[in-house]
């Protein structure tokens, strides 16, 4: 295959990647977007395999690796539960970072195979690009492992902080820059491996101070890092497709991180540097006074919603844990048959990764035109008869609007407290990821439905049918 024809196929693959991102921007076109992404990646892999002889790589070895990796990925995809998607995404991000480091190691010790020079005489631009790609890849690797461990419950989701933490991160960052300069000027092995070691440590230090409530931002941030790591290595290998694909992932992840930051009232630059989450978790909250709550039943909930004109459903991670989305959709279908206007309000950081609730509702075949983002529906709560909150907590907490001492103060929340009646489905009266109580639980208009979310929805369905 000629170099020009390979470049043309790489360009076509890049167009498919762009179309994939376009499709993934809306639930209704997400399946098409996934298809475009698969086609683009398949085309990129086949094209690369066909030009492999020109750069002296083993076609048999590559095909064996693709087969092994594809088999493992297929088995994982078939077995993973929807609730485990956030930690799965974190685990996959770690592999992208590790791959970037491995490619950098191969290019550093065998540069002639990649056309970037010879041992001891690597092009300056390639050394700089290799250093940056290695650093970002190593940070992504260990940072994603910590995120996976927190999401999986292997380690505590609480922020881990210590005095001078930010100064240590800053010092390590400056040292990494100096090591890049050293490597670019001398090609010293020690400089390369010190970059790897310090970046691995930085990945851990950046993520450990981040609490469970901020995990959606972490997922999108690591997604961006993995893209930039791939782009950096793409420059090293002078592979235009890797540069384009990495840049698309990196930029889209950065934009998504910015959206998540707005949804949680976080500083975008603090997120990039890992300096968020810890201080907030140490904050306090106002005294809620009387903590008497009114407990309701499935029959109460069915009666209230059946006689309502408008119901807004607010899903959260509790719905995901209980796998209640199918029962919830069945409940909503029965209400619509009785003439009730039913809508779903999605907070941008509900769940444990961006779009988590949208994915679950799509799996349950909830109509796309009934699902709305927070900004689209927040003004309608004041005209809503019943707000049905299922498994959400911090994203509905009104102290974010009123209590300056609260760790979530300033975070945009769903205006559930403005609805005429509130039904709150939770397993217990425990607090959310932010570790603070929700005064919405104790309002006179709120009925707490303390039960497994799926079981409660199923009981409400039975009550509606009767």
């Amino acid at each position: 295959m000629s170099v020009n024809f390979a470049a043309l196929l790489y360009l076509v693959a890049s167009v498919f990647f762009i179309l994939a991102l376009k499709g993934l921007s809306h639930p209704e076109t997400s399946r098409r977007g996934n298809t475009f992404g698969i086609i683009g990646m398949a085309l990129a892999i086949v094209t690369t395999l066909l030009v492999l002889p020109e750069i002296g790589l083993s076609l048999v070895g590559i095909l064996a690796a693709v087969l092994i990796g594809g088999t493992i990925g297929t088995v994982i995809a078939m077995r993973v539960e929807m609730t485990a998607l956030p930690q799965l995404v974190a685990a996959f991000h770690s592999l992208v970072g590790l791959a970037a480091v491995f490619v950098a190691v191969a290019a550093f010790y065998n540069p002639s195979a990649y056309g970037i020079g010879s041992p001891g005489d690597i092009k300056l631009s390639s050394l700089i690009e290799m250093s940056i790609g290695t650093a970002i890849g190593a940070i992504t690797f260990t940072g994603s492992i910590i995120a996976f461990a927190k999401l999986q419950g292997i380690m505590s989701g609480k922020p881990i902080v210590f005095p001078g933490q930010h100064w240590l991160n800053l010092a390590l960052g400056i040292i990494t820059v100096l090591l890049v300069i050293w490597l670019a000027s001398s090609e010293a092995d020690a400089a390369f491996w010190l970059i790897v070691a310090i970046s691995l440590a930085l990945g851990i230090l950046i993520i450990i101070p981040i609490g469970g409530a901020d995990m959606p931002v972490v997922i999108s941030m690591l997604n961006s890092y993995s893209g930039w790591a791939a782009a950096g290595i793409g420059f090293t290998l002078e592979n235009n497709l890797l540069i384009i694909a990495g840049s698309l992932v990196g930029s889209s992840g950065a934009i998504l991180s910015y959206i998540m930051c707005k949804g949680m009232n976080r500083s975008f630059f603090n997120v990039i540097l890992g300096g968020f989450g810890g201080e907030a978790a140490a904050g306090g909250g106002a005294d809620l006074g009387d903590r008497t709550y009114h407990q309701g039943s499935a029959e109460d909930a069915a009666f209230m919603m059946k006689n309502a004109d408008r119901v807004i459903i607010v899903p959260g991670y509790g719905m995901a844990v209980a796998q209640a989305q199918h029962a919830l959709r069945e409940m909503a279908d029965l209400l619509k048959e009785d003439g009730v206007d039913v809508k779903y309000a999605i907070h941008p950081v509900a769940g444990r990764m961006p779009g988590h609730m949208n994915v679950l509702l799509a799996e349950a075949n909830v109509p796309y035109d009934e699902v709305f983002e927070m900004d689209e529906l927040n003004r309608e709560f004041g005209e809503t008869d019943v707000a049905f909150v299922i498994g959400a907590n911090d994203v509905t907490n009104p102290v974010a609007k009123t209590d300056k001492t609260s760790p979530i103060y300033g975070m945009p929340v769903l205006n559930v407290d403005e609805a005429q009646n509130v039904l709150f489905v939770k397993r217990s009266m425990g607090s959310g990821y932010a570790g603070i109580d929700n005064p919405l639980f104790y309002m006179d208009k709120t009925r707490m439905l303390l039960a497994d979310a799926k079981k409660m929805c199923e009981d409400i369905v039975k009550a509606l049918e009767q």
Side-chain angles (χ1 to χ4, degrees):
M1 178 183 291
S2 68
V3 174
N4 290 336
F5 187 57
L8 177 61
L9 292 179
Y10 278 157
L11 178 61
V12 174
S14 301
V15 172
F16 274 111
F17 291 151
I18 294 172
L19 292 174
L21 283 179
K22 173 64 176 177
L24 292 171
S25 64
H26 192 278
E28 196 166 353
T29 58
S30 59
R31 291 182 184 272
R32 188 192 316 155
N34 272 323
T35 302
F36 284 144
I38 292 170
I39 294 173
M41 185 56 68
L43 181 60
I45 293 173
V46 170
T47 303
T48 303
L49 291 176
L50 291 177
V51 300
L52 281 176
E54 300 176 17
I55 55 176
L57 294 179
S58 171
L59 183 60
V60 175
I62 293 294
L63 287 174
V66 170
L67 179 61
I68 294 171
T71 302
I72 294 173
T74 301
V75 172
I76 292 175
M78 293 177 65
R79 292 186 176 182
V80 70
E81 296 181 359
M82 294 296 290
T83 50
L85 276 180
Q87 47 264 53
L88 177 65
V89 171
F92 282 171
H93 285 161
S94 74
L95 297 179
V96 175
L98 185 61
V101 175
F102 281 167
V103 172
V105 172
F108 183 70
Y109 284 101
N110 190 15
S112 57
Y114 298 90
I116 59 175
S118 57
D121 189 27
I122 301 175
K123 290 191 294 186
L124 177 62
S125 59
S126 296
L127 282 172
I128 296 174
E129 294 153 3
M130 183 190 304
S131 304
I132 295 173
T134 301
I136 299 176
I139 290 172
T140 303
F141 174 61
T142 50
S144 298
I145 289 177
I146 296 299
F148 170 82
K150 288 195 172 193
L151 290 168
Q152 189 67 16
I154 298 173
M155 65 181 294
S156 173
K158 295 181 179 179
I160 300 174
V161 296
F162 55 85
Q165 192 168 26
H166 296 320
W167 289 108
L168 175 60
N169 290 348
L170 177 62
L172 291 178
I174 293 173
I175 292 173
T176 302
V177 173
L178 295 176
L179 288 171
V180 170
I181 297 173
W182 179 21
L183 179 65
S185 60
S186 67
E187 290 189 35
D189 287 15
F192 179 84
W193 288 108
L194 281 173
I195 290 174
V196 174
I198 291 177
S199 298
L200 290 173
L202 265 175
I204 297 173
L205 292 171
I206 286 175
I207 303 301
I208 59 173
I210 301 174
D214 295 315
M215 275 300 145
V217 185
V218 174
I219 296 295
S220 60
M221 177 183 70
L222 291 172
N223 176 60
S224 179
Y225 285 177
S226 66
W228 296 126
I233 297 302
F235 279 108
T236 301
L237 304 181
E238 298 181 352
N239 186 306
N240 292 332
L241 180 64
L242 196 53
I243 294 171
I244 294 172
S247 299
L248 287 173
V249 174
S251 56
S252 61
I255 293 171
L256 185 58
S257 296
Y258 177 73
I259 295 173
M260 295 294 103
C261 289
K262 287 184 63 178
M264 299 188 73
N265 193 38
R266 300 296 190 191
S267 165
F268 181 66
F269 292 104
N270 280 349
V271 170
I272 295 175
L273 300 175
F276 75 111
E279 297 87 352
D287 182 8
L288 298 182
D290 183 16
R291 293 179 179 235
T292 301
Y293 64 91
H294 307 281
Q295 187 165 352
S297 65
E299 290 73 19
D300 297 333
F303 179 81
M304 290 176 64
M305 290 190 288
K306 188 180 181 69
N307 289 280
D309 292 323
R310 176 179 295 181
V311 172
I312 295 181
I313 298 172
V314 180
Y317 187 66
M319 181 192 76
V321 172
Q323 289 287 280
Q325 62 269 24
H326 296 280
L328 179 66
R329 192 215 67 211
E330 187 177 359
M331 181 193 82
D333 288 344
L334 289 174
L335 290 173
K336 288 187 291 183
E337 288 177 7
D338 286 329
V340 181
D341 178 20
V342 179
K343 295 179 180 178
Y344 297 79
I346 309 296
H347 193 280
V349 294
R352 286 191 174 182
M353 73 175 187
H356 199 178
M357 296 300 103
N358 301 77
V359 171
L360 291 172
L361 294 177
E363 184 206 16
N365 295 317
V366 172
Y368 297 128
D369 58 359
E370 295 177 8
V371 181
F372 297 86
E373 299 299 324
M374 177 180 66
D375 293 338
E376 297 177 295
L377 213 56
N378 232 6
R379 294 182 180 179
E380 295 188 19
F381 278 100
E383 303 171 356
T384 299
D385 299 300
V386 180
F388 185 83
V389 184
I390 175 168
N393 195 330
D394 297 327
V395 298
T396 65
N397 197 328
V399 300
K401 300 182 289 185
T402 59
D403 183 8
K404 294 183 178 181
T405 67
S406 172
I408 63 171
Y409 177 72
M411 182 180 89
V413 293
L414 290 159
N415 296 331
V416 174
D417 57 309
E418 297 179 4
Q420 295 180 27
N421 296 281
V422 179
L423 296 171
F424 221 114
V425 182
K426 280 176 57 68
R427 285 182 179 272
S428 68
M429 294 297 293
S431 58
Y433 286 126
I436 58 173
D437 212 345
N438 190 338
L440 189 58
F441 299 165
Y442 313 109
M443 292 183 178
D444 290 336
K445 62 182 177 182
T446 302
R447 292 295 177 270
M448 300 301 300
L449 308 177
L450 302 180
D452 174 82
K454 182 178 181 181
K455 179 67 165 56
M456 177 56 67
C457 287
E458 289 173 343
D459 289 344
I460 294 175
V461 167
K462 292 177 183 177
L464 288 171
E465 291 175 338
Q466 293 173 0

